[in-house]
């Protein structure tokens, strides 16, 4: 029951953080687009994509850092934990020192790498510079961000994220109100948010892991080698993901121009939020998976995975269905200067893969926890490479344009998830390959029922204003949650879900 309560608290905090993120993006994004223009806004997404490219250097070390540190903490082996902690810190510091050189060259000579309109070149350079600075500082302090994970107290990070989001929003409103609007303000606000979260990382490390001490004498080459060896397949995985979706804005910039890139970036706002929600909720389960695996409680691990799939299915279907049904109305109201129908189509195409694999997103944690990453990573790389080749071919020889960029990756990701992720997520923990396919089927059925409910509401009611849209989405969401509870859960699981929710509420 204590584990259930902890899960409820972590999920609730993650949900609130996600809702705050949506709210802030909802109000700020259209204002920023109107103020700095869709071209400049596109470079914000591109700058973040470049950070994803740079993270290839450190992901081998950091992707498995939480796993190894958490296992040693759970075993109370503080000597080994201190070796991992210090090794993570000093290895990251060295990597940042190396990466700072090419990053500086990129910022200073940005027009040699991407197409930037001359009138905003300096703003884009400042934006990229601030985003890289935030990335480098976060990498150096990365070891200090692991304490909540090791203690399965993810809610602490979520709470600080909420506060950081409000700090970022406040700074943006202030700067756009007082000064002439510049796209680099976004980079400055994110840097301030990063500093805020890093300060609490130091605090939580001292509070939750008092026996952890940063000492260069504890920096161990064998620990770094072990982390790199285990995480090397995550580099391959990350490269594959970049090839699948991370290069989309860059390809749009190089082949179609700055304005189409801005349109694609705008269409990705809602899908990116949904994907972020999936990743956020899925990550809540990873500490529990790691603890159970470290203690060799395999039966409880299987139960926890099944529970995570059902919870994710309940959470993910509602926003996807709402986007499919009400997307065009939303974009027409949200960014009236843009083509709402095109934005809806691109958004739906981008998010469609989540219909089939959103509920099983937590299975990716199985590959990490069991340290069996090779096959999945190679398949991710293969599908990513195929995506780039096919997209470039379609851009050169067809008129599909942005639809090619958005659609090919969705098809390939769906095929990969259904043919490998779902079956092998079961096989790796000793279950039959077909174990989780019923959950996938139930999730798809839940999505279709919610979409049908939304279409019915849209048919009988006039949805053409913010108020009517909010009411329609709330009604659809409420009905959708009830539908999911009955489609994805049996009677005993529904009772248990309400018990967990009750225990997660303040004062319970």
């Amino acid at each position: 029951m204590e584990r259930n309560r902890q899960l409820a608290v972590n999920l609730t905090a993650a949900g609130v953080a996600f809702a705050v993120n949506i709210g802030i993006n909802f109000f700020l994004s259209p204002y920023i687009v109107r103020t700095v223009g869709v071209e400049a806004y596109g470079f914000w997404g591109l700058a973040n994509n470049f950070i994803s490219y740079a993270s290839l250097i450190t992901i081998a070390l950091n992707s498995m850092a939480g796993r190894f540190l958490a296992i040693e903490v759970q075993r109370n082996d503080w000597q080994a934990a201190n070796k991992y902690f210090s090794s993570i810190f000093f290895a990251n510091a060295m990597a940042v020192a190396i990466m700072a050189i090419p990053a500086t060259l990129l910022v200073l000579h940005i027009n040699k790498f991407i197409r930037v309109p001359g009138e905003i070149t300096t703003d884009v350079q400042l934006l990229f510079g601030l985003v890289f600075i935030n990335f480098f500082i976060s990498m150096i302090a990365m070891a200090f961000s692991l304490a909540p994970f090791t203690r399965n107290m993810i809610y602490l990070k979520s709470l600080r994220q909420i506060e950081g989001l409000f700090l970022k929003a406040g700074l943006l409103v202030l700067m756009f109100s007082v000064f002439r609007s510049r796209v680099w303000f976004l980079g400055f606000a994110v840097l301030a948010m990063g500093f805020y979260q890093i300060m609490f990382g130091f605090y939580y490390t001292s509070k939750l892991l008092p026996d952890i001490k940063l000492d260069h004498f504890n920096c161990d080459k064998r620990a770094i080698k072990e982390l790199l060896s285990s995480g090397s397949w995550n580099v391959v995985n990350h490269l594959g993901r970049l090839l699948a979706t991370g290069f989309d804005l860059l390809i749009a910039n190089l082949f179609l121009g700055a304005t189409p890139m801005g349109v694609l970036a705008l269409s990705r706002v809602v899908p990116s939020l949904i994907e972020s929600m999936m990743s956020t909720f899925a990550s809540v389960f990873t500490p529990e998976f790691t603890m159970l695996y470290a203690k060799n409680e395999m039966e409880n691990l299987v139960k926890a995975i099944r529970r995570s799939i059902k919870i994710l299915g309940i959470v993910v279907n509602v926003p996807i269905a709402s986007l499919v049904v009400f997307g065009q109305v939303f974009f027409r109201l949200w960014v009236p200067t843009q083509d709402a129908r095109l934005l809806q189509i691109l958004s739906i195409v981008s998010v469609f893969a989540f219909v089939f694999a959103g509920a099983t997103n937590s299975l990716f944690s199985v590959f990490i926890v069991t340290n069996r990453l090779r096959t999945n990573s190679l398949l991710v790389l293969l599908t990513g490479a195929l995506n780039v080749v096919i997209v470039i071919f379609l851009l050169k020889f067809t008129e599909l344009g942005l639809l090619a960029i958005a659609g090919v990756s969705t098809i390939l990701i769906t095929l990969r998830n259904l043919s490998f992720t779902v079956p092998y997520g079961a096989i790796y923990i000793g279950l039959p390959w077909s174990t989780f396919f019923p959950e996938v089927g139930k999730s798809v059925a839940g999505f279709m029922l919610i979409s049908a409910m939304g279409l019915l509401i849209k048919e009988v009611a006039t949805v053409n204003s913010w108020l009517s849209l909010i009411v329609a989405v709330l009604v659809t969401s409420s009905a959708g949650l009830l539908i999911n509870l009955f489609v994805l859960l049996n009677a005993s699981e529904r009772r248990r879900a309400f018990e967990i929710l009750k225990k997660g509420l303040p004062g319970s």
Side-chain angles (χ1 to χ4, degrees), residues 28 34 164 196 395 461:
L28 285 181
R34 290 195 306 270
Y196 181 81
L395 289 176

Side-chain angles (χ1 to χ4, degrees), residues 242-244 247 251 383-393 408 412:
L242 287 177
L243 291 171
F247 285 104
I251 290 174
T383 53
L386 283 174
N387 173 71
V388 172
V389 172
I390 295 172
V391 166
I392 292 177
F393 176 84
V408 174
L412 292 174

Side-chain angles (χ1 to χ4, degrees), residues 131-204:
V131 169
F132 271 112
I133 290 171
N134 179 61
F135 171 69
F136 291 150
I137 293 174
S138 298
M139 285 301 97
I140 293 174
M142 193 270 175
F144 290 92
S145 69
L146 299 174
F149 179 93
T150 62
R151 295 299 191 186
N152 195 18
M153 301 173 72
I154 299 296
Y155 72 93
L156 294 175
K157 292 189 70 173
S158 297
L159 292 175
R160 302 295 81 79
Q161 181 186 6
I162 293 169
E163 295 163 357
L165 287 168
F166 279 115
L167 172 64
K168 181 182 77 171
L171 280 174
L172 286 175
V173 170
L174 177 64
M175 295 175 75
F176 278 115
S177 300
V178 175
F179 304 105
R180 181 182 175 185
S181 297
R182 301 291 188 185
V183 70
W184 64 263
F185 292 173
L186 291 163
F188 181 84
V190 167
L191 179 60
M193 177 180 172
F195 268 115
Y196 181 81
Q197 292 177 309
I198 287 169
M199 288 190 301
F200 276 98
F202 293 141
Y203 170 73
Y204 287 133

Side-chain angles (χ1 to χ4, degrees), residues 202-400:
F202 293 141
Y203 170 73
Y204 287 133
T205 299
S206 64
K207 182 179 180 181
L208 301 178
L209 303 175
D211 294 312
I212 287 289
K213 305 296 180 185
L214 180 64
D215 191 332
H216 70 279
F217 290 111
N218 284 327
C219 185
D220 187 83
K221 292 182 179 179
R222 286 175 297 180
I224 295 175
K225 184 178 179 180
E226 186 177 16
L227 288 166
L228 292 174
S229 176
S230 296
S232 59
W233 289 111
N234 277 329
V235 176
V236 178
N237 186 294
H238 188 66
L239 177 59
R241 290 177 182 273
L242 287 177
L243 291 171
T245 57
F247 285 104
D248 51 1
L249 295 182
L250 182 60
I251 290 174
N253 177 274
L254 296 177
F255 282 85
L256 302 176
T259 299
M261 179 192 70
V263 172
L264 183 62
L266 198 56
S267 74
R268 286 288 172 87
V269 171
V270 178
S272 294
L273 287 172
I274 294 175
E275 184 175 15
S276 175
M277 179 188 69
M278 283 195 315
S279 300
T280 299
F281 279 95
S283 66
V284 168
F285 300 100
T286 307
E288 183 183 14
F289 293 174
T290 306
M291 291 169 63
L292 293 173
Y293 185 79
K295 296 176 182 179
N296 200 31
E297 297 181 15
M298 299 307 294
E299 184 177 349
N300 286 331
L301 174 60
V302 172
K303 290 180 180 178
I305 292 171
R306 288 183 180 275
R307 179 179 56 186
S308 72
I309 292 173
K310 293 180 177 181
I311 292 175
L312 285 174
I314 292 172
V315 170
V316 168
N317 282 338
V318 173
I320 298 176
S322 297
L323 174 63
V324 170
V325 175
F326 302 107
Q328 186 171 348
V329 178
F330 168 76
F331 283 115
R332 188 170 62 245
L333 295 170
W334 192 47
V335 279
T337 60
Q338 303 299 314
D339 186 340
R341 180 170 175 77
L342 175 61
L343 290 173
Q344 183 197 25
I345 292 173
L346 292 173
S347 294
I348 292 174
V349 170
S350 298
V351 84
F352 194 71
F354 305 154
V355 174
F356 295 92
T360 56
N361 197 261
S362 60
L363 289 178
F364 290 110
S365 297
V366 173
F367 303 140
I368 294 175
V369 171
T370 60
N371 201 14
R372 301 181 70 174
L373 302 163
R374 182 177 62 179
T375 305
N376 177 67
S377 298
L378 288 174
L379 285 173
V380 172
L381 179 62
L382 174 62
T383 53
L386 283 174
N387 173 71
V388 172
V389 172
I390 295 172
V391 166
I392 292 177
F393 176 84
L394 292 176
L395 289 176
K396 284 188 173 183
F397 299 103
T398 73
E399 299 297 323
L400 290 174

